[in-house]
Structures are given as C-alpha cells and as structure tokens.
Amino acid sequence: MAEQNQYPQLTGAEILWATLVGEGITTVFGYPGGAILPIYDALRKFPIHHVLVRHEQGASHMADGYARASGQVGVCMATSGPGATNLVTGIATAMLDSIPIVCITGQVSSKVLGSDAFQEVDITGITLPITKHNFLVTRAEDIAATVRKAFQVARSGRPGPVLVDITKDAQQAMAAFSFEAAEPAPARPHPMLKTETNAFTDAIELIRAAKRPVILAGHGIVESGAREQVIAFAEKLQVPVASTLLGLGAFPTYHPLSLGMMGMHGESWVNESIQQSDLLLAFGMRFDDRVTGNLALYAPNAKKIHIDIDPSEVNKNVKVNVALIGDLKKVLDALLPMLGDSPVAEDTWDRANEKSYGEPPTEWLREIDAMKGTASVRDIINLPDNGHLYAAHVINDIWREALDAGRLAQTVIVTDVGQHQMWEAQYYKHDAPRSLITSGGLGTMGFALPAAIGAKAACPEKDVWVIAGDGGFQMTASELSTIVQEGYAINIAVINNGFLGMVRQWQEAFYDKNYSASPILSPDFVMLAAAHGIDGATVSKRKDVTPTVTKARTSGKAFLINFQVEKEDGVYPMIAPGAALHEMVRRPTKDPLLETAEDE
Amino acid sequence: MLHTFVALVSDKPGVLTRVASLFRRLNINIVSLTVGESERADVSRMTIVCEAPEHAAHRIKASLYKLEITVNVDEVGRSEAVIRELCLIKVEAGPSHPLGQNSRSQIFELANVFRARVVDLAPESIMLEMTGAASKIEGLIQVITESGYNILEVSRTGRMAMRRGQHTSRVMKALGGPNGANDDAKLTSAEILPNEFDDVHEEEE
Ligand SMILES: Cc1ncc(C[n+]2csc(CCOP(=O)(O)OP(=O)(O)O)c2C)c(N)n1
C-alpha cells in the first residue's frame, strides 16, 4: 500500500487515456454520450486524436480498418445502451476475420447496475459470443490492468476483438496510476499449441511423396508475417499457391506460382487444381464453406497438412492428415530446413525482371497451365469494347492506373460486400499484404466506407480507395461527413448497377428471376458528395474510367466516382450451393464454338 | 456419444455463462454441468457431460481452452475416472399410504439394497439420499416406481468426475501446486496432454 503513494492519483477516465497512450494508441474512433462523458472530458489532456463518427457501427469498422491496414490494434469507443449496441455489427465483423480491436464502452454507475437504469444494456452479455473476451470494470483501480490485458488478448494468438465496459463511477473515482505495475502476466499460450515432432516427420513424408501439391494461402500468413517463408517454401518445391479472399496479397500475385483466388468465385483452373491435387498445404486458413464447396466432394485424392495457430480449427470442416499447430512463421521456419534439397532445381522465374520464361518447370504446373484453356477468351477483360461499361473494367482500370502511376504498393483497396467485392478479388492484382481490406467472414455490407476511414487514419501516406455497391454504400454513407470533418483524401468508387447485385444474381440463378426486393433506388451520388463538399463525377463509358481515376487520385482531396455499370451482369465462375468445387458455372460466352467444344 | 470434461476455470463472475455460451454456440447439448470449489481458492471446478459425436471432443476441448477464463481441461473416460452423482428422492409413504406402515419399511429395505440413506422422515413422505453412478440412481428410481410408490420429487446434481490415481495431482502440480505456489519442477504440457493429435494421424492407411 505504501508503494501506491509514489504513483500519481488520477481519475478513472484519465487512467484510461494514459493507458491507451502507453499502449501506443494515437487515434481512436468514437461517439460520446452520458455514460462516457467523464472519459470525453479528460480527452483534451492526452495526445490522442479522436475521430467523431456518424454512427457507432462506423466506429467499430474504422477501428477494424485501422487494424487491418496497420497491423496495430484499433480502438473505438461508445456510450452505454444504444451506443454500445450500435458497435455490435463491427465487433462481429472483426471477430469473424480475426482482427485485433479494443472497444471501450461507458456503462451506468455500478450502484444501479442491473436495475434497467437509463441507457443500461448488458453489453458484455450481448457481445460475449462475438468477442475474444470482454470485461466489466467497476473500480478505477482496475482500469489500467484491465485495458492492458485487453490489448494483450486482442493481439496474442489468433487475434480478435475485446470489449471493456467501464461504469461511470469507475471513470470518476480516483486511483493510483502506474502503467508498468498494470502490465499483465505473459499471455497464456493455448495449451494445445504444440506440435509433436513426429507430425513434422509425417508432414515431410507427405510433402516428399506429393506430385500435385497446392498451397492454400490464408489470412494467417499476413497476421503471422510469414510471407517470406511461404515464398521460400513455394519456390523451393515449385508448389503453386491458391489464395483465400483474405489471403489475397499475402503471396504476390505477380509470382508465376500464384494461381489466384480459390472458392465460390475463384477461377476455374484454381479450383480445378485443388480438386486434382494430391497434397493440400493449408497455411493459416480455415476451410470456410465459401472455399470448399461441397465438403464430401472436396479434394478427394489429396492428403492435407494444416498449419494454423488455432487448435480448434483442426479437423473442424475438413479432416486433415497432419496438423502443425502454431504460429505459421515459426512452423515454416522449422519446416523449411527439413525439406532438404529441392527436388526441382531449376525454375523459370526471372527474379530481376519479375517475369517467367519458358515452360513451367514441372509436369503438374504444365497441367495447371493447360487447365486455363478457354478461360481468358471468355474473360470480359479480353473481349472487344461493346460500348457497355462492366464493373470488371472499372476495377481492372483502377488497378492498372495505380500500377502505371507506380503507386501500386502505396494503394489500399477497401471493398464492401457483393458482386463488386468478388470482381475486385478477381481483377485487382494484389501484390502486397494489407493492400486489400474486405469483410470476408461476416460479409458485412456498409463496411467499406468506415473501414477506409480507419485505413486512411492508419496510413495517411497511402492512396485509399473505397469500392462499394450502390446498396452497401447507402448503409453507412453518413460517414462521408466524417471524411470531410477529418480532411481525409479518400477516393470512392460506387459501382452503381441499380440492384442489390449479388442478391439479383442469386435470384436469377436460383429463384426464376423473381427480383424480389433487389432493385434499389439511389440518390444522385455525385450530388450527395457535393452536399458534403466532396468533388465527384459520373462515368458510364470505358474510355472515361482511367482519366477520372487519375483525377480522383491526384486531387489531394476526397473524390467520389459514380460508375454507372451494366445492370444485370453476373460474377463468374460460380459454384452453386451444394456443388463440388470443380463443378463451376463458367463465364457465359457468345461464341458457339466455345460453348459446345470446351464447356463442361 | 457422451463426453465428460473436467474444466478448471478461474473463479470470477460470469464464468458459467461463458462456458454455457460456448456449448450453445457449438450447438452441443449439455447433459449435465456441475460447478463447485476446487482445491485452489481462485479456481472453480466444472464437470461437463455432453452429447456429441466422437470426433467433436478435440474441438470442444480446444474451444474450451480458447476461453480466457480456462485454466485446464481434461476429458475423462469411464474406466480411468471415478464418476459420481448425488440424488435426493422424496417418496410418498407413511401411515396414510394404501400400504400403511409397511410402506415405510419397504422403502427402507429398497434404500438399503441400493446403499441409499434416509435423510428425512415426515408423516406422508420419506426422503432418500443416494450417491453413485448415474445408472445406480436410475435403478433405485425404477425399483421404487415399479413397487407401486409415488415419487414426489427428484433432485440430481449431475455427474462429477475425478481421475483415478496420480493424474489430477500431476495437473495441479503443473499449475503450481494446490495453493498456487510453484512446486518442484513444472511438467511440460506434453506430459499432461499425451498424444494430443492422435486422432489427427489415426485416420489413414
Ligand atoms: C448487412 C448486410 N445485409 C445484407 C446482406 C446480404 N447481401 C449480400 S450481397 C448483397 C447485395 C449487395 O448489393 P450492392 O451493395 O449494390 O453491391 P453489388 O452486389 O451490386 O456489387 C446483399 C443484400 C449483407 N451481406 N450484409
């Protein structure tokens, strides 16, 4: 107790901010209200920038976007009751994609907890299944240790969201503050986080025996920082790499071993090679139903090696032969030297020029090349301009423009959810990790605009693009005002097709074109932007895409482009629910020769 | 099949909700759950019996460990552990019963056979207390009913489990001893959880 006297006495509110400063936080996203007013009152004393959102859902998405762009923990805050419940969608979004965020909520005074006091809601109860952990703090002296623990939990192991609910009386009471004394005990590693040595031996055996291996690259590569190890592994054995949606950019797309995205809207040869593989190496991915198709028919001849940090993912969806549990980077560091001499000495990869020359070096890679078949002829990108504007064109041109301007490595794309999200994944070539921010697990419409604000706050030097549908954009469009208040130069591409496009596509394919509640009316987005003081333009011709994109990128201010695209366009290839991964609906083609000869 | 897990969790408010919520999320039905104090002041001990496919055990255990409040999880099988349940049974019996005074002595006899104890005697009822395996308790209830007696109330605790022999003490040793102090050398997790991924390897060939 005597020791306590040497520490300064602060209010609980001040302790919160001081702890956040200690954790390296410089920006928080939030919205004030009664039960969190003591915290807002103390804000001015601390070197932390507060971004005022327009809806608390925006705050949790911004913290999420901040974390995805920077790799650091994002922080958001809200008042009790409705403020706290508004955070929920963003918390669930972060949970499903394993994103580290810390959410601070104000709570009614501990004396009235449980009495249905004004704006009281049991937010720790509500968020229990969508947080990695949550805390209710009722005493000022517990705030520092709890918040530090929250950061540790959010960051450690498989990352995720943590919520700290602080009662108003705890914010107002005084307590001694010491950042050091509040340091949590080292994170408890998951007790099953260990790999038997014989698992390594088994893995090596399977790898040596494989003739048709495929690496499945997931988000874990980015979280673990294992990019170099994965590249080394792939190159050493000349293993092709297929990516999940959240794995895009984890392995460089320019690399000749990169196949592209797998799953429901993956290219045909990517899914085909997974189905024909004899060994799947799952690196930091979780065999989500969007990437496996019908589980009973998934990669029937392939042995499976699963490397993941979360033991509860092992054998969850797909039964695997060997599980190497642990941080991907560490596991690969242990595995790489055990691979011995590379069975494929030569590759045909000109590293200096980042180009491949000659035939792929293995039989398996040549087979995969052959699988590409007619895919590129069918691709809208390679078809002659027919005067229509397709979303694929827009996204391809946004990518090209950044590439040609030498800004590719400095560009972050934040997508919403729907058709445009899948086209983005298909047509924007992501070379760098954290260059694509998208809601994969929860598929949250309305994510893009606020998440982009978080990304811009984290990386002000980068070009940040929002790519959103006309539906999802309207869900959180109120955050346009936040962009202006913060002076952020964020570029916004609305892919406007007059429909909830992805819903319309499913209705076309599976509900007899009964377009129930999928046509959507929108305001004039350019005028909406103008009302906020944001410049904008409408584009409906292919030739205008690139110049307008350049104009937006170089304007130095926020800019909105309303792309008026083909209304009833579809995302292909597509795997219908219940179908096997290789049973794709290919891109439709007008060419009768292709239709009959090559299509299965 | 039935799985029995013994979970040591930190003794904090809301811990029971966290564990129960996990099973609800996994869509696994809890057959019984008992919670109480353990030999460590800050740790509660839960025995959770649930109905789930055989292969689900690994995931349940791994998911339990993911909860921040979990200290240790052990899945125990019937042969390696003592599994007990406590039951209170109130039976209608006494002078006004159709079988008259005989009713009491007959219940006493049945209780004797099953090693149940009479813990309360009222004019119209008898309360029995029985500890044992679930099947024994069910046996007693069945016999009482089949003998024509009316059971008024039954209260069962659900199963509690403890491994036979040294195992549990080894776990506690690894945790730092009964009082939280650091005893001797700590065991490695490999010693506590042998062959964790056996089920992963077993499938092929
Ligand atoms: C919050 C939320 N509500 C509903 C859905 C279901 N949903 C998925 S895609 C989609 C349509 C999206 O339409 P739009 O934003 O216009 O994008 P597009 O598909 O046309 O590119 C809907 C309604 C969702 N993912 N998220």
Side-chain angles (χ1 to χ4, degrees):
Chain A
M1 276 298 132
E3 246 189 28
Q4 293 246 322
N5 296 335
Q6 73 194 49
Y7 300 130
Q9 290 283 324
L10 303 181
T11 66
E14 292 165 340
I15 290 176
L16 171 70
W17 289 114
T19 310
L20 292 177
V21 171
E23 289 289 346
I25 297 305
T26 54
T27 308
V28 303
F29 308 91
Y31 208 89
I36 199 168
L37 278 180
I39 289 174
Y40 274 86
D41 187 49
L43 167 59
R44 67 193 155 82
K45 300 174 195 157
F46 295 87
I48 287 184
H49 177 64
H50 179 270
V51 174
L52 178 69
V53 304
R54 295 301 181 269
H55 183 292
E56 291 88 348
Q57 180 187 350
S60 42
H61 287 326
M62 286 178 209
D64 177 321
Y66 185 96
R68 292 188 205 230
S70 65
Q72 307 298 313
V73 179
V75 178
C76 61
M77 51 181 59
T79 190
S80 67
T85 55
N86 274 351
L87 291 176
V88 165
T89 302
I91 298 175
T93 304
M95 183 70 176
L96 272 272
D97 287 347
S98 309
I99 305 301
I101 63 172
V102 168
C103 313
I104 309 287
T105 48
Q107 181 55 284
V108 300
S109 168
S110 65
K111 291 169 209 77
V112 295
L113 265 183
S115 71
D116 299 330
F118 178 62
Q119 294 194 329
E120 178 184 3
V121 76
D122 173 16
I123 196 63
T124 46
I126 290 172
T127 58
L128 190 143
I130 53 163
T131 49
K132 210 177 149 187
H133 193 59
N134 60 26
F135 301 90
L136 169 64
V137 184
T138 57
R139 304 185 327 159
E141 50 268 45
D142 296 338
I143 291 177
T146 308
V147 171
R148 292 205 67 181
K149 180 76 188 165
F151 274 86
Q152 185 195 60
V153 172
R155 286 188 189 113
S156 61
R158 179 177 178 175
V162 180
L163 180 136
V164 185
D165 196 25
I166 308 176
T167 60
K168 193 167 182 178
D169 51 337
Q171 299 169 32
Q172 288 164 325
M174 305 288 288
F177 172 70
S178 159
F179 186 72
E180 304 77 47
E183 185 173 348
R188 177 209 64 163
H190 194 297
M192 290 154 86
L193 203 87
K194 70 193 183 69
T195 299
E196 312 287 329
T197 26
N198 62 354
F200 275 102
T201 334
D202 295 351
I204 295 290
E205 222 168 85
L206 292 182
I207 293 167
R208 289 237 171 85
K211 293 270 179 292
R212 307 158 77 82
V214 177
I215 290 173
L216 308 177
H219 182 211
I221 299 173
V222 180
E223 287 300 327
S224 155
R227 179 184 174 91
E228 293 315 314
Q229 283 77 359
V230 176
I231 294 175
F233 188 102
E235 288 183 350
K236 189 159 190 181
L237 303 178
Q238 289 296 302
V239 184
V241 180
S243 286
T244 66
L245 177 63
L246 293 195
L248 290 175
F251 187 82
T253 310
Y254 66 77
H255 200 288
L257 288 169
S258 167
L259 295 178
M261 184 175 69
M262 64 177 106
M264 185 170 266
H265 293 295
E267 293 297 339
S268 58
W269 69 85
V270 186
N271 290 334
E272 195 76 65
S273 42
I274 290 170
Q275 287 302 82
Q276 295 187 18
S277 160
D278 65 0
L279 177 66
L280 294 179
L281 295 136
F283 288 177
M285 56 84 74
R286 60 185 174 93
F287 294 105
D288 180 82
D289 55 80
R290 298 283 123 153
V291 307
T292 59
N294 187 330
L295 274 177
L297 306 171
Y298 182 66
N301 303 318
K303 307 268 186 201
K304 285 129 195 149
I305 298 176
H306 195 175
I307 311 183
D308 202 277
I309 197 163
D310 182 352
S312 73
E313 289 295 346
V314 174
N315 290 334
K316 184 176 86 176
N317 299 334
V318 169
K319 181 114 170 108
V320 300
N321 302 82
V322 179
L324 301 174
I325 300 302
D327 178 73
L328 181 65
K329 185 176 176 165
K330 289 186 191 146
V331 172
L332 287 180
D333 273 336
L335 196 61
L336 275 166
M338 298 166 83
L339 292 176
D341 290 336
S342 165
V344 192
E346 290 272 317
D347 64 20
T348 50
W349 174 226
D350 176 355
R351 277 175 190 75
N353 297 308
E354 296 189 348
K355 270 200 295 228
S356 55
Y357 53 89
E359 285 252 292
T362 70
E363 179 60 36
W364 172 225
L365 291 172
R366 286 191 288 276
E367 270 183 60
I368 293 177
D369 247 15
M371 285 179 205
K372 294 184 181 171
T374 61
S376 89
V377 200
R378 292 162 168 276
D379 200 327
I380 191 102
I381 278 308
N382 302 314
L383 298 179
D385 191 348
N386 61 2
H388 296 242
L389 183 62
Y390 294 94
H393 291 155
V394 173
I395 286 155
N396 176 77
D397 293 355
I398 291 175
W399 165 70
R400 265 257 58 114
E401 201 275 342
L403 180 72
D404 292 345
R407 293 289 295 171
L408 200 56
Q410 296 303 315
T411 302
V412 178
I413 306 287
V414 188
T415 80
D416 215 74
V417 171
Q419 289 184 313
H420 67 278
Q421 180 189 29
M422 293 299 111
W423 281 315
E424 199 284 343
Q426 292 177 339
Y427 293 104
Y428 192 102
K429 310 293 175 211
H430 287 279
D431 281 341
R434 304 191 185 281
S435 64
L436 168 61
I437 293 177
T438 192
S439 164
L442 198 67
T444 309
M445 283 172 70
F447 172 79
L449 188 61
I453 294 174
K456 187 70 183 179
C459 309
E461 73 294 351
K462 292 210 169 148
D463 296 336
V464 176
W465 277 95
V466 171
I467 299 183
D470 41 347
F473 183 71
Q474 291 186 68
M475 282 198 170
T476 49
S478 54
E479 303 298 346
L480 280 175
S481 186
T482 311
I483 293 182
V484 177
Q485 186 164 357
E486 293 300 321
Y488 287 146
I490 292 175
N491 306 308
I492 300 160
V494 180
I495 308 295
N496 191 344
N497 54 12
F499 278 101
L500 300 175
M502 190 56 98
V503 170
R504 190 208 57 76
Q505 182 175 345
W506 278 59
Q507 290 170 333
E508 177 184 340
F510 309 117
Y511 295 91
D512 232 0
K513 291 202 179 187
N514 175 18
Y515 293 157
S516 174
S518 55
I520 184 167
L521 184 79
S522 294
D524 180 327
F525 289 120
V526 175
M527 277 176 73
L528 180 70
H532 289 85
I534 295 175
D535 291 340
T538 289
V539 170
S540 52
K541 295 260 178 310
R542 177 87 191 259
K543 66 174 176 42
D544 298 332
V545 175
T546 303
T548 317
V549 165
T550 305
K551 186 174 172 195
R553 186 177 54 74
T554 54
S555 73
K557 293 189 297 180
F559 199 100
L560 182 147
I561 310 175
N562 173 38
F563 288 103
Q564 213 70 56
V565 299
E566 190 70 13
K567 282 180 176 304
E568 303 196 17
D569 195 1
V571 184
Y572 298 101
M574 176 183 184
I575 297 158
L581 203 54
H582 61 282
E583 295 168 341
M584 285 151 288
V585 181
R586 301 283 301 273
R587 289 192 175 88
T589 163
K590 294 274 139 20
D591 186 335
L593 266 179
L594 282 181
E595 201 89 77
T596 48
E598 307 271 0
D599 210 18
E600 297 149 272
Chain B
M1 65 178 275
L2 283 186
H3 299 272
T4 304
F5 295 95
V6 172
L8 299 177
V9 295
S10 51
D11 185 13
K12 294 208 180 107
V15 161
L16 184 60
T17 326
R18 289 180 194 277
V19 173
S21 163
L22 170 68
F23 280 85
R24 183 174 52 78
R25 231 149 61 216
L26 297 178
N27 194 24
I28 288 169
N29 190 24
I30 297 180
V31 176
S32 77
L33 193 159
T34 66
V35 200
E37 291 172 5
S38 70
E39 65 278 27
R40 265 176 45 162
D42 55 342
V43 171
S44 308
R45 182 174 174 122
M46 293 187 179
T47 306
I48 307 154
V49 182
C50 64
E51 176 69 53
E54 175 150 23
H55 63 81
H58 166 82
R59 178 141 186 260
I60 295 172
K61 192 171 161 185
S63 303
L64 274 168
Y65 266 127
K66 272 169 74 175
L67 300 176
E68 275 302 310
I69 43 106
T70 303
V71 179
N72 191 66
V73 186
D74 189 17
E75 193 196 2
V76 295
R78 200 186 299 267
S79 59
E80 57 209 359
V82 175
I83 301 181
R84 288 289 181 273
E85 186 172 350
L86 172 69
C87 177
L88 296 175
I89 306 170
K90 192 186 280 177
V91 190
E92 199 175 14
S96 56
H97 192 273
L99 293 172
Q101 286 296 350
N102 274 344
S103 61
R104 274 186 181 159
S105 49
Q106 210 177 348
I107 297 288
F108 289 168
E109 263 171 47
L110 290 177
N112 240 336
V113 173
F114 280 83
R115 300 223 171 79
R117 295 197 306 141
V118 176
V119 289
D120 183 56
L121 194 64
E124 263 117 43
S125 68
I126 296 177
M127 197 193 301
L128 304 178
E129 175 198 302
M130 174 164 179
T131 309
S135 57
K136 292 265 171 54
I137 291 172
E138 275 141 30
L140 174 61
I141 292 172
Q142 190 184 353
V143 170
I144 294 175
T145 319
E146 282 172 2
S147 310
Y149 290 96
N150 192 15
I151 293 183
L152 298 171
E153 280 184 66
V154 171
S155 173
R156 297 171 65 162
T157 57
R159 274 153 262 203
M160 293 202 296
M162 189 175 282
R163 270 184 192 269
R164 296 175 190 278
Q166 304 224 314
H167 181 91
T168 309
S169 59
R170 289 174 64 209
V171 172
M172 293 318 294
K173 202 156 123 195
L175 293 173
N179 304 313
N182 274 337
D183 292 5
D184 331 311
K186 286 198 178 185
L187 294 178
T188 66
S189 53
E191 286 177 85
I192 305 164
L193 305 162
N195 302 324
E196 195 51 57
F197 288 105
D198 266 5
D199 54 331
V200 178
H201 301 289
E202 120 229 297
E203 172 217 39
E204 296 287 328
E205 267 86 57

